[in-house]
Amino acid sequence: MAFSQPGSLVRFWLWASVGVVAIFGTFTYAGAFVWPLLGAGIGLLAARSFSRMSALAASVAGLAGPALAVALSSPWPLVAAIPVALALALVRSRREAAMLAGALGLACLVLLALRSAEVMAAVIFAPVLLVLGALAVGRPQREAAGAITGAGLAFFAVGAPEPGIPLTLAGAVLMVALGLRRRRLAMTGA
Amino acid sequence: MPVDLLAILAVVLIALAVGLWRTRHERAAARAARAEQD
């Protein structure tokens, strides 16, 4: 059974909540505990379609990661649960499985290279690369710009308007601009 | 450095393994649905 796709604006705000959670996961002390659930959320939003079972499996993986991390008192289940949750939510074919593995490998290599240059850049780019990889595997969509807006709103909420205002506006402008482009393409029949 | 590379390899292999397992699961379900239709 497949869920009906929510409308564009709903998807935008769902992506915005992904952005808020990503900022929480990146900059707070206990943030790593939300990584697996963040992976499940990104995977489900980027997926072309998903069944009730795959949504459930991804959510279980998202919750099992932190539970295992606490039980084993090791951070590694949190890291391992990210590809598990993403794959459960996103992958429908062998091609997508290979693409996800490739995208995650590439993202890890980029983060490794960034880390040797500047640790902060790697920290900030980790969720960005995760979203881009998921979009490449699943359905690329302009609504994902909502994550930028969500990140901006999160900065705004914790009292950092300098990055907050530009990010909030950038996400909204990107969403509108991509929508205009799509409408123009539809009008010209391209 | 080798620890980093091992971690990358582990992430990639986990994604591939879960993805392929998921694919097999989906295809089995599709086949069962088709068999039911016939």
Side-chain angles (χ1 to χ4, degrees), chain A residues 51 54 76 79-80 83-84 87-88 91-94 97-98 101 104-105 108-109 112 115, chain B residues 1 3-5 7-8 10-16 18-23 25-27:
Chain A
S51 62
S54 53
W76 288 107
V79 178
V84 172
L88 285 175
V91 169
R92 308 281 290 184
S93 66
R94 280 185 181 178
L104 285 178
C108 286
L109 281 177
L112 202 62
R115 199 186 63 177
Chain B
M1 193 66 172
V3 177
D4 292 338
L5 291 178
I8 293 176
V11 165
V12 170
L13 284 181
I14 288 173
L16 199 61
V18 175
L20 289 179
W21 174 80
R22 179 98 209 125
T23 308
H25 196 70
E26 292 282 334
R27 263 195 280 136

mmCIF file of all heavy atoms in Angstrom, chain A residues 51 54 76 79-80 83-84 87-88 91-94 97-98 101 104-105 108-109 112 115, chain B residues 1 3-5 7-8 10-16 18-23 25-27:
data_model
loop_
_atom_site.group_PDB
_atom_site.id
_atom_site.type_symbol
_atom_site.label_atom_id
_atom_site.label_comp_id
_atom_site.label_asym_id
_atom_site.label_seq_id
_atom_site.Cartn_x
_atom_site.Cartn_y
_atom_site.Cartn_z
ATOM 1 N N SER A 51 6.050 2.203 1.108
ATOM 2 C CA SER A 51 4.909 1.480 1.659
ATOM 3 C C SER A 51 4.873 1.704 3.167
ATOM 4 O O SER A 51 5.815 2.234 3.754
ATOM 5 C CB SER A 51 5.039 -0.001 1.351
ATOM 6 O OG SER A 51 6.199 -0.493 1.954
ATOM 7 N N SER A 54 7.817 -0.100 4.788
ATOM 8 C CA SER A 54 9.157 0.494 4.734
ATOM 9 C C SER A 54 9.230 1.720 5.636
ATOM 10 O O SER A 54 10.284 1.980 6.242
ATOM 11 C CB SER A 54 9.555 0.843 3.297
ATOM 12 O OG SER A 54 8.590 1.623 2.693
ATOM 13 N N TRP A 76 28.912 4.119 17.845
ATOM 14 C CA TRP A 76 28.897 3.546 16.500
ATOM 15 C C TRP A 76 27.528 3.130 15.995
ATOM 16 O O TRP A 76 27.244 3.269 14.794
ATOM 17 C CB TRP A 76 29.903 2.401 16.394
ATOM 18 C CG TRP A 76 31.287 2.949 16.393
ATOM 19 C CD1 TRP A 76 32.191 2.891 17.397
ATOM 20 C CD2 TRP A 76 31.893 3.739 15.360
ATOM 21 N NE1 TRP A 76 33.330 3.578 17.063
ATOM 22 C CE2 TRP A 76 33.172 4.102 15.816
ATOM 23 C CE3 TRP A 76 31.474 4.178 14.106
ATOM 24 C CZ2 TRP A 76 34.040 4.877 15.058
ATOM 25 C CZ3 TRP A 76 32.336 4.950 13.351
ATOM 26 C CH2 TRP A 76 33.594 5.287 13.835
ATOM 27 N N VAL A 79 25.989 5.878 14.033
ATOM 28 C CA VAL A 79 26.509 6.046 12.675
ATOM 29 C C VAL A 79 25.971 4.942 11.765
ATOM 30 O O VAL A 79 25.513 5.200 10.656
ATOM 31 C CB VAL A 79 28.055 6.016 12.691
ATOM 32 C CG1 VAL A 79 28.603 6.139 11.285
ATOM 33 C CG2 VAL A 79 28.588 7.125 13.574
ATOM 34 N N ALA A 80 25.983 3.703 12.261
ATOM 35 C CA ALA A 80 25.561 2.578 11.431
ATOM 36 C C ALA A 80 24.077 2.646 11.098
ATOM 37 O O ALA A 80 23.648 2.186 10.033
ATOM 38 C CB ALA A 80 25.875 1.262 12.147
ATOM 39 N N PRO A 83 22.879 4.731 7.452
ATOM 40 C CA PRO A 83 22.667 4.033 6.164
ATOM 41 C C PRO A 83 21.543 3.007 6.225
ATOM 42 O O PRO A 83 20.830 2.811 5.226
ATOM 43 C CB PRO A 83 24.012 3.363 5.886
ATOM 44 C CG PRO A 83 24.739 3.363 7.169
ATOM 45 C CD PRO A 83 24.255 4.548 7.932
ATOM 46 N N VAL A 84 21.355 2.358 7.384
ATOM 47 C CA VAL A 84 20.269 1.375 7.499
ATOM 48 C C VAL A 84 18.913 2.057 7.308
ATOM 49 O O VAL A 84 18.084 1.622 6.500
ATOM 50 C CB VAL A 84 20.329 0.655 8.865
ATOM 51 C CG1 VAL A 84 19.099 -0.214 9.057
ATOM 52 C CG2 VAL A 84 21.589 -0.178 8.977
ATOM 53 N N ALA A 87 18.473 3.315 3.695
ATOM 54 C CA ALA A 87 18.238 2.242 2.731
ATOM 55 C C ALA A 87 16.834 1.674 2.898
ATOM 56 O O ALA A 87 16.144 1.398 1.907
ATOM 57 C CB ALA A 87 19.281 1.140 2.912
ATOM 58 N N LEU A 88 16.381 1.520 4.134
ATOM 59 C CA LEU A 88 15.044 0.969 4.361
ATOM 60 C C LEU A 88 13.969 1.905 3.815
ATOM 61 O O LEU A 88 12.938 1.458 3.305
ATOM 62 C CB LEU A 88 14.824 0.726 5.855
ATOM 63 C CG LEU A 88 15.543 -0.488 6.433
ATOM 64 C CD1 LEU A 88 15.346 -0.551 7.941
ATOM 65 C CD2 LEU A 88 15.033 -1.765 5.799
ATOM 66 N N VAL A 91 15.296 2.729 -0.750
ATOM 67 C CA VAL A 91 15.706 1.835 -1.833
ATOM 68 C C VAL A 91 14.556 0.942 -2.288
ATOM 69 O O VAL A 91 13.883 0.325 -1.473
ATOM 70 C CB VAL A 91 16.889 0.967 -1.364
ATOM 71 C CG1 VAL A 91 17.169 -0.136 -2.356
ATOM 72 C CG2 VAL A 91 18.118 1.825 -1.173
ATOM 73 N N ARG A 92 14.311 0.932 -3.600
ATOM 74 C CA ARG A 92 13.272 0.080 -4.166
ATOM 75 C C ARG A 92 13.826 -0.872 -5.223
ATOM 76 O O ARG A 92 13.138 -1.778 -5.651
ATOM 77 C CB ARG A 92 12.171 0.922 -4.821
ATOM 78 C CG ARG A 92 11.602 1.988 -3.950
ATOM 79 C CD ARG A 92 10.632 1.436 -2.979
ATOM 80 N NE ARG A 92 9.412 0.989 -3.635
ATOM 81 C CZ ARG A 92 8.357 0.536 -2.982
ATOM 82 N NH1 ARG A 92 8.395 0.439 -1.672
ATOM 83 N NH2 ARG A 92 7.275 0.167 -3.622
ATOM 84 N N SER A 93 15.037 -0.607 -5.701
ATOM 85 C CA SER A 93 15.591 -1.448 -6.761
ATOM 86 C C SER A 93 17.089 -1.609 -6.538
ATOM 87 O O SER A 93 17.683 -0.896 -5.729
ATOM 88 C CB SER A 93 15.338 -0.818 -8.129
ATOM 89 O OG SER A 93 16.058 0.387 -8.230
ATOM 90 N N ARG A 94 17.673 -2.555 -7.265
ATOM 91 C CA ARG A 94 19.116 -2.784 -7.118
ATOM 92 C C ARG A 94 19.912 -1.549 -7.507
ATOM 93 O O ARG A 94 20.925 -1.239 -6.899
ATOM 94 C CB ARG A 94 19.538 -3.937 -8.016
ATOM 95 C CG ARG A 94 19.226 -5.247 -7.402
ATOM 96 C CD ARG A 94 19.758 -6.347 -8.235
ATOM 97 N NE ARG A 94 19.418 -7.616 -7.628
ATOM 98 C CZ ARG A 94 19.719 -8.787 -8.147
ATOM 99 N NH1 ARG A 94 20.340 -8.836 -9.296
ATOM 100 N NH2 ARG A 94 19.386 -9.888 -7.545
ATOM 101 N N ALA A 97 19.936 0.790 -4.714
ATOM 102 C CA ALA A 97 20.802 0.311 -3.636
ATOM 103 C C ALA A 97 22.257 0.663 -3.935
ATOM 104 O O ALA A 97 22.986 1.169 -3.066
ATOM 105 C CB ALA A 97 20.650 -1.190 -3.478
ATOM 106 N N ALA A 98 22.674 0.425 -5.193
ATOM 107 C CA ALA A 98 24.058 0.739 -5.570
ATOM 108 C C ALA A 98 24.296 2.243 -5.521
ATOM 109 O O ALA A 98 25.348 2.714 -5.066
ATOM 110 C CB ALA A 98 24.338 0.202 -6.969
ATOM 111 N N ALA A 101 24.683 3.405 -1.899
ATOM 112 C CA ALA A 101 26.000 3.033 -1.361
ATOM 113 C C ALA A 101 27.075 3.961 -1.932
ATOM 114 O O ALA A 101 27.944 4.448 -1.195
ATOM 115 C CB ALA A 101 26.305 1.583 -1.692
ATOM 116 N N LEU A 104 26.743 7.530 -0.418
ATOM 117 C CA LEU A 104 27.228 7.602 0.968
ATOM 118 C C LEU A 104 28.751 7.512 1.013
ATOM 119 O O LEU A 104 29.397 8.218 1.798
ATOM 120 C CB LEU A 104 26.602 6.476 1.796
ATOM 121 C CG LEU A 104 25.131 6.681 2.170
ATOM 122 C CD1 LEU A 104 24.601 5.492 2.951
ATOM 123 C CD2 LEU A 104 24.961 7.952 2.990
ATOM 124 N N GLY A 105 29.316 6.636 0.164
ATOM 125 C CA GLY A 105 30.777 6.532 0.122
ATOM 126 C C GLY A 105 31.414 7.838 -0.308
ATOM 127 O O GLY A 105 32.392 8.308 0.299
ATOM 128 N N CYS A 108 31.174 10.380 2.460
ATOM 129 C CA CYS A 108 32.173 10.131 3.508
ATOM 130 C C CYS A 108 33.552 10.626 3.074
ATOM 131 O O CYS A 108 34.284 11.239 3.867
ATOM 132 C CB CYS A 108 32.242 8.639 3.830
ATOM 133 S SG CYS A 108 30.849 8.046 4.780
ATOM 134 N N LEU A 109 33.900 10.371 1.810
ATOM 135 C CA LEU A 109 35.213 10.808 1.319
ATOM 136 C C LEU A 109 35.314 12.329 1.338
ATOM 137 O O LEU A 109 36.344 12.879 1.738
ATOM 138 C CB LEU A 109 35.439 10.275 -0.099
ATOM 139 C CG LEU A 109 35.869 8.816 -0.189
ATOM 140 C CD1 LEU A 109 35.985 8.380 -1.642
ATOM 141 C CD2 LEU A 109 37.207 8.617 0.514
ATOM 142 N N LEU A 112 35.774 13.464 4.835
ATOM 143 C CA LEU A 112 37.141 13.168 5.282
ATOM 144 C C LEU A 112 38.100 14.241 4.774
ATOM 145 O O LEU A 112 38.947 14.755 5.515
ATOM 146 C CB LEU A 112 37.543 11.801 4.745
ATOM 147 C CG LEU A 112 38.657 11.076 5.469
ATOM 148 C CD1 LEU A 112 38.242 10.800 6.896
ATOM 149 C CD2 LEU A 112 38.992 9.776 4.759
ATOM 150 N N ARG A 115 37.452 17.479 6.559
ATOM 151 C CA ARG A 115 37.852 17.464 7.952
ATOM 152 C C ARG A 115 39.334 17.764 8.098
ATOM 153 O O ARG A 115 39.750 18.432 9.044
ATOM 154 C CB ARG A 115 37.527 16.118 8.578
ATOM 155 C CG ARG A 115 37.495 16.170 10.074
ATOM 156 C CD ARG A 115 37.318 14.809 10.658
ATOM 157 N NE ARG A 115 38.435 13.944 10.335
ATOM 158 C CZ ARG A 115 38.557 12.690 10.785
ATOM 159 N NH1 ARG A 115 37.604 12.176 11.516
ATOM 160 N NH2 ARG A 115 39.594 11.963 10.468
ATOM 161 N N MET B 1 43.834 7.195 10.359
ATOM 162 C CA MET B 1 43.409 7.204 8.939
ATOM 163 C C MET B 1 42.809 5.869 8.515
ATOM 164 O O MET B 1 41.744 5.842 7.898
ATOM 165 C CB MET B 1 44.626 7.578 8.075
ATOM 166 C CG MET B 1 44.263 7.927 6.635
ATOM 167 S SD MET B 1 43.266 9.443 6.590
ATOM 168 C CE MET B 1 43.223 9.720 4.831
ATOM 169 N N VAL B 3 41.300 3.804 10.344
ATOM 170 C CA VAL B 3 40.011 3.695 11.036
ATOM 171 C C VAL B 3 38.939 4.432 10.241
ATOM 172 O O VAL B 3 37.821 3.946 10.062
ATOM 173 C CB VAL B 3 40.120 4.259 12.463
ATOM 174 C CG1 VAL B 3 38.772 4.222 13.156
ATOM 175 C CG2 VAL B 3 41.134 3.479 13.258
ATOM 176 N N ASP B 4 39.297 5.630 9.728
ATOM 177 C CA ASP B 4 38.346 6.394 8.920
ATOM 178 C C ASP B 4 37.923 5.602 7.687
ATOM 179 O O ASP B 4 36.740 5.513 7.374
ATOM 180 C CB ASP B 4 38.977 7.714 8.466
ATOM 181 C CG ASP B 4 39.201 8.650 9.628
ATOM 182 O OD1 ASP B 4 38.513 8.466 10.644
ATOM 183 O OD2 ASP B 4 40.073 9.515 9.531
ATOM 184 N N LEU B 5 38.918 5.035 7.012
ATOM 185 C CA LEU B 5 38.601 4.298 5.786
ATOM 186 C C LEU B 5 37.751 3.071 6.092
ATOM 187 O O LEU B 5 36.823 2.752 5.341
ATOM 188 C CB LEU B 5 39.889 3.902 5.071
ATOM 189 C CG LEU B 5 40.658 5.082 4.484
ATOM 190 C CD1 LEU B 5 41.937 4.616 3.829
ATOM 191 C CD2 LEU B 5 39.798 5.836 3.471
ATOM 192 N N ALA B 7 35.642 2.871 8.533
ATOM 193 C CA ALA B 7 34.293 3.370 8.828
ATOM 194 C C ALA B 7 33.539 3.642 7.531
ATOM 195 O O ALA B 7 32.362 3.292 7.392
ATOM 196 C CB ALA B 7 34.381 4.641 9.680
ATOM 197 N N ILE B 8 34.227 4.258 6.557
ATOM 198 C CA ILE B 8 33.584 4.537 5.269
ATOM 199 C C ILE B 8 33.147 3.239 4.609
ATOM 200 O O ILE B 8 32.005 3.104 4.134
ATOM 201 C CB ILE B 8 34.555 5.296 4.333
ATOM 202 C CG1 ILE B 8 34.831 6.686 4.875
ATOM 203 C CG2 ILE B 8 33.981 5.384 2.940
ATOM 204 C CD1 ILE B 8 35.840 7.449 4.053
ATOM 205 N N ALA B 10 32.500 0.433 6.015
ATOM 206 C CA ALA B 10 31.397 -0.160 6.768
ATOM 207 C C ALA B 10 30.074 0.503 6.384
ATOM 208 O O ALA B 10 29.075 -0.181 6.135
ATOM 209 C CB ALA B 10 31.648 -0.014 8.264
ATOM 210 N N VAL B 11 30.082 1.849 6.305
ATOM 211 C CA VAL B 11 28.844 2.570 5.954
ATOM 212 C C VAL B 11 28.355 2.150 4.574
ATOM 213 O O VAL B 11 27.180 1.850 4.361
ATOM 214 C CB VAL B 11 29.091 4.093 6.025
ATOM 215 C CG1 VAL B 11 27.985 4.850 5.322
ATOM 216 C CG2 VAL B 11 29.184 4.561 7.463
ATOM 217 N N VAL B 12 29.302 2.101 3.615
ATOM 218 C CA VAL B 12 28.934 1.735 2.245
ATOM 219 C C VAL B 12 28.382 0.309 2.200
ATOM 220 O O VAL B 12 27.340 0.040 1.579
ATOM 221 C CB VAL B 12 30.157 1.874 1.318
ATOM 222 C CG1 VAL B 12 29.856 1.275 -0.044
ATOM 223 C CG2 VAL B 12 30.534 3.324 1.170
ATOM 224 N N LEU B 13 29.066 -0.606 2.883
ATOM 225 C CA LEU B 13 28.626 -2.005 2.852
ATOM 226 C C LEU B 13 27.276 -2.185 3.536
ATOM 227 O O LEU B 13 26.431 -2.949 3.058
ATOM 228 C CB LEU B 13 29.687 -2.894 3.520
ATOM 229 C CG LEU B 13 30.918 -3.141 2.662
ATOM 230 C CD1 LEU B 13 31.896 -4.041 3.395
ATOM 231 C CD2 LEU B 13 30.533 -3.768 1.329
ATOM 232 N N ILE B 14 27.069 -1.460 4.638
ATOM 233 C CA ILE B 14 25.775 -1.565 5.326
ATOM 234 C C ILE B 14 24.664 -1.081 4.401
ATOM 235 O O ILE B 14 23.626 -1.731 4.239
ATOM 236 C CB ILE B 14 25.792 -0.722 6.630
ATOM 237 C CG1 ILE B 14 26.675 -1.386 7.679
ATOM 238 C CG2 ILE B 14 24.381 -0.585 7.181
ATOM 239 C CD1 ILE B 14 26.881 -0.538 8.916
ATOM 240 N N ALA B 15 24.894 0.088 3.752
ATOM 241 C CA ALA B 15 23.867 0.628 2.852
ATOM 242 C C ALA B 15 23.575 -0.355 1.726
ATOM 243 O O ALA B 15 22.413 -0.618 1.389
ATOM 244 C CB ALA B 15 24.323 1.965 2.275
ATOM 245 N N LEU B 16 24.631 -0.925 1.161
ATOM 246 C CA LEU B 16 24.448 -1.854 0.041
ATOM 247 C C LEU B 16 23.709 -3.118 0.501
ATOM 248 O O LEU B 16 22.773 -3.584 -0.157
ATOM 249 C CB LEU B 16 25.815 -2.209 -0.537
ATOM 250 C CG LEU B 16 25.825 -2.779 -1.945
ATOM 251 C CD1 LEU B 16 25.253 -1.779 -2.922
ATOM 252 C CD2 LEU B 16 27.233 -3.156 -2.360
ATOM 253 N N VAL B 18 21.740 -3.616 3.191
ATOM 254 C CA VAL B 18 20.337 -3.383 3.557
ATOM 255 C C VAL B 18 19.517 -3.091 2.303
ATOM 256 O O VAL B 18 18.394 -3.574 2.145
ATOM 257 C CB VAL B 18 20.233 -2.224 4.570
ATOM 258 C CG1 VAL B 18 18.777 -1.891 4.851
ATOM 259 C CG2 VAL B 18 20.931 -2.598 5.861
ATOM 260 N N GLY B 19 20.107 -2.312 1.389
ATOM 261 C CA GLY B 19 19.392 -1.992 0.150
ATOM 262 C C GLY B 19 19.071 -3.231 -0.659
ATOM 263 O O GLY B 19 17.957 -3.409 -1.137
ATOM 264 N N LEU B 20 20.061 -4.100 -0.813
ATOM 265 C CA LEU B 20 19.832 -5.319 -1.608
ATOM 266 C C LEU B 20 18.847 -6.252 -0.911
ATOM 267 O O LEU B 20 17.989 -6.856 -1.563
ATOM 268 C CB LEU B 20 21.161 -6.037 -1.860
ATOM 269 C CG LEU B 20 22.082 -5.316 -2.835
ATOM 270 C CD1 LEU B 20 23.370 -6.093 -3.009
ATOM 271 C CD2 LEU B 20 21.399 -5.130 -4.187
ATOM 272 N N TRP B 21 18.941 -6.331 0.415
ATOM 273 C CA TRP B 21 17.981 -7.155 1.158
ATOM 274 C C TRP B 21 16.570 -6.618 0.953
ATOM 275 O O TRP B 21 15.625 -7.339 0.725
ATOM 276 C CB TRP B 21 18.350 -7.151 2.637
ATOM 277 C CG TRP B 21 17.346 -7.853 3.482
ATOM 278 C CD1 TRP B 21 17.226 -9.193 3.664
ATOM 279 C CD2 TRP B 21 16.288 -7.249 4.233
ATOM 280 N NE1 TRP B 21 16.166 -9.457 4.491
ATOM 281 C CE2 TRP B 21 15.571 -8.283 4.855
ATOM 282 C CE3 TRP B 21 15.891 -5.920 4.438
ATOM 283 C CZ2 TRP B 21 14.471 -8.047 5.668
ATOM 284 C CZ3 TRP B 21 14.799 -5.686 5.261
ATOM 285 C CH2 TRP B 21 14.095 -6.730 5.864
ATOM 286 N N ARG B 22 16.473 -5.287 1.012
ATOM 287 C CA ARG B 22 15.182 -4.613 0.842
ATOM 288 C C ARG B 22 14.624 -4.904 -0.571
ATOM 289 O O ARG B 22 13.441 -5.159 -0.751
ATOM 290 C CB ARG B 22 15.402 -3.109 1.029
ATOM 291 C CG ARG B 22 14.216 -2.274 0.863
ATOM 292 C CD ARG B 22 13.590 -1.932 2.189
ATOM 293 N NE ARG B 22 12.180 -1.756 1.954
ATOM 294 C CZ ARG B 22 11.250 -2.413 2.604
ATOM 295 N NH1 ARG B 22 11.558 -3.256 3.535
ATOM 296 N NH2 ARG B 22 9.985 -2.220 2.341
ATOM 297 N N THR B 23 15.517 -4.847 -1.565
ATOM 298 C CA THR B 23 15.105 -5.103 -2.943
ATOM 299 C C THR B 23 14.541 -6.511 -3.082
ATOM 300 O O THR B 23 13.486 -6.710 -3.693
ATOM 301 C CB THR B 23 16.326 -4.962 -3.869
ATOM 302 O OG1 THR B 23 16.934 -3.712 -3.607
ATOM 303 C CG2 THR B 23 15.926 -5.030 -5.310
ATOM 304 N N HIS B 25 13.251 -8.319 -0.808
ATOM 305 C CA HIS B 25 11.982 -8.338 -0.075
ATOM 306 C C HIS B 25 10.861 -7.773 -0.946
ATOM 307 O O HIS B 25 9.789 -8.357 -1.080
ATOM 308 C CB HIS B 25 12.165 -7.493 1.180
ATOM 309 C CG HIS B 25 11.112 -7.702 2.199
ATOM 310 N ND1 HIS B 25 11.017 -8.861 2.917
ATOM 311 C CD2 HIS B 25 10.095 -6.912 2.602
ATOM 312 C CE1 HIS B 25 9.979 -8.762 3.729
ATOM 313 N NE2 HIS B 25 9.404 -7.593 3.559
ATOM 314 N N GLU B 26 11.141 -6.612 -1.571
ATOM 315 C CA GLU B 26 10.129 -5.956 -2.416
ATOM 316 C C GLU B 26 9.747 -6.844 -3.590
ATOM 317 O O GLU B 26 8.576 -6.970 -3.940
ATOM 318 C CB GLU B 26 10.685 -4.630 -2.971
ATOM 319 C CG GLU B 26 10.891 -3.561 -1.936
ATOM 320 C CD GLU B 26 9.587 -2.887 -1.550
ATOM 321 O OE1 GLU B 26 8.669 -2.874 -2.371
ATOM 322 O OE2 GLU B 26 9.502 -2.412 -0.401
ATOM 323 N N ARG B 27 10.795 -7.466 -4.195
ATOM 324 C CA ARG B 27 10.502 -8.268 -5.393
ATOM 325 C C ARG B 27 9.701 -9.513 -5.040
ATOM 326 O O ARG B 27 8.819 -9.922 -5.785
ATOM 327 C CB ARG B 27 11.801 -8.627 -6.111
ATOM 328 C CG ARG B 27 12.052 -7.649 -7.250
ATOM 329 C CD ARG B 27 13.098 -8.151 -8.187
ATOM 330 N NE ARG B 27 14.401 -7.898 -7.625
ATOM 331 C CZ ARG B 27 15.382 -8.775 -7.622
ATOM 332 N NH1 ARG B 27 15.215 -9.963 -8.140
ATOM 333 N NH2 ARG B 27 16.539 -8.460 -7.103
#
